[in-house]
Amino acid sequence: MPAGAKRERAAQSRDGAASPKRRTRAGRPVVAIVGRANVGKSTLVNRFVGRREAIEHPEPGVTRDARGYDVAWDGLAFTVVDTGGWEPRARGISAKVVAQAERAAQAADVIVFVVDTTTGPTADDLAVAKTLRLAAVPVIVAANKVDGARGEAEIFAFERLGLGPALPVSALHGRASGDLLDVIAAHVRDVETTEASEGEPEIGVAIAGRPNVGKSSLFNRLAGADRAIVDPTPGTTRDAVDEVVVAGGTRFRFVDTAGIRRKVRNASGPEYYALVRSLRAVDEADVVIIVIDASEGPTEQDQKIAQRVAESGRAALVVLNKWDLVDEESRPVLERDLKDKLRFVSWAPVLRTSALTGRGVDRILPAVRSVREAWDKRVTTGQLNAWLGEVADRIPLGGRGTKPSKLRYATMARTRPPEVVLFTTGPVSDQAIRALERRLRERFGFEGTPVRMVVRQKAKRAGAPRR
Ligand code: GDP
């Protein structure tokens, strides 16, 4: 990722400022659990840790001292700090309550603010929310004790806290604690990637397409001596050669250029072997350039390639090569065929080139860089839920029987490619998912990358939904 995008990501925290580094001594990100006494913080922490180690006691104010627990989830390691309960006061708001929230905001990378659905937002909660709204780190509101359908309705009351939608959980029954961990993990990953090592990463590129569409001619243009340094290195498959092209400060590693440069001549179907080889390169790449012979238009074979690329989860762009051979009259037909046959990669930008004259070839590498960024782009939970708030009412989700499903919360669970998890109260129709994806793309871009939309319905019975 270029430094610019990294800066942009760092600036996506609550107040728009990059958050200072906060780490435990072991170098793990810190997740602080804050909330009034008796809202169920310790029970929740126990769920995370997976053993009954955190002190649990039904009396308020028992867990006085903050304690840290190491949690591993989804390939990430972080420390969860139970900040302990707040002393309840008969009258007025405890200064301690606010002071503790302030401390958490200073010491943590991510804050989980646990509130109690059975009581609704209290004066203490509102005072804490006021402090947390100023925090430079993400705050997740976890509405605990949602133990039945009734609790579902109550969680909307927490919108008053001004910290975005609350995520319903039941620490006691373990319900949705996996979901909460997913959301925490997404934020932790934000911290990790923001702090990722300096330097421009290499972009792995595969050139895929039928034989004779102009792959090797295009590659020779891209690796032309006047504009790039070419540095051949052994690839991962036998006799494969990767070549690195440096252009505009970015290293593009072209996967298995041996397969592109040397024609695989074989009596028993050269076309087939060449194709298999170019598709194998797809899985080793970040970005796939799908080359199509524009003078022939997309064929069935091209369609299969597009489908295969879409399934691979790689970023992609479509290059209509041999554009010099396309006359005016055939363009409308070509456009129509393209929409139909390449619908699997409808999100991919389309470039028109001529490897013969060199026209349009200069636009390929900048486009590769741009789709690679989209593939790796993370939208914060805050931005995602703000967007959800705008579109949720306008898209009927479908549902079970006469009961329409509702969207509760969304988070980006992973990137490369982006995966958005939608937490809902019931099933969502395919049509609604497509509409949501369309809106998501309109708002956040993602041109050139597939976006996976995952629907997670609330668990009907007790027990943490785990993957
Ligand atoms: P590959 O098998 O996909 O690597 O295709 P090649 O690069 O070997 O090209 C196949 C044939 O198409 C060669 O004769 C090229 O000269 C020709 N060719 C490649 N690109 C273009 C182009 O943009 N325009 C025209 N007119 N011919 C091209």
Side-chain angles (χ1 to χ4, degrees), residues 286-341:
D286 302 326
V287 178
V288 183
I289 302 174
I290 304 172
V291 186
I292 284 171
D293 184 336
S295 67
E296 289 181 20
T299 65
E300 215 155 292
Q301 192 71 265
D302 293 330
Q303 181 171 15
K304 282 192 186 126
I305 294 171
Q307 193 171 0
R308 170 71 175 71
V309 170
E311 281 162 9
S312 75
R314 266 57 197 174
L317 52 105
V318 173
V319 168
L320 296 176
N321 190 39
K322 307 197 188 179
W323 194 250
D324 54 293
L325 299 178
V326 178
D327 51 35
E328 286 288 344
E329 298 91 83
S330 47
R331 282 180 199 181
V333 182
L334 181 64
E335 297 290 335
R336 209 179 45 235
D337 276 5
L338 209 61
K339 256 214 176 90
D340 173 37
K341 291 238 169 60

Side-chain angles (χ1 to χ4, degrees), residues 9-32:
R9 185 180 290 182
Q12 284 174 349
S13 51
R14 295 201 79 73
D15 63 354
S19 57
K21 286 181 188 179
R22 303 163 171 87
R23 300 246 142 185
T24 56
R25 243 174 298 171
R28 290 162 190 259
V30 175
V31 178

Side-chain angles (χ1 to χ4, degrees), residues 210-217 263 321-322 324-325 354-356:
R210 291 182 296 118
N212 284 323
V213 293
K215 295 185 299 300
S216 90
S217 309
K263 297 292 165 67
N321 190 39
K322 307 197 188 179
D324 54 293
L325 299 178
S354 168
L356 194 69

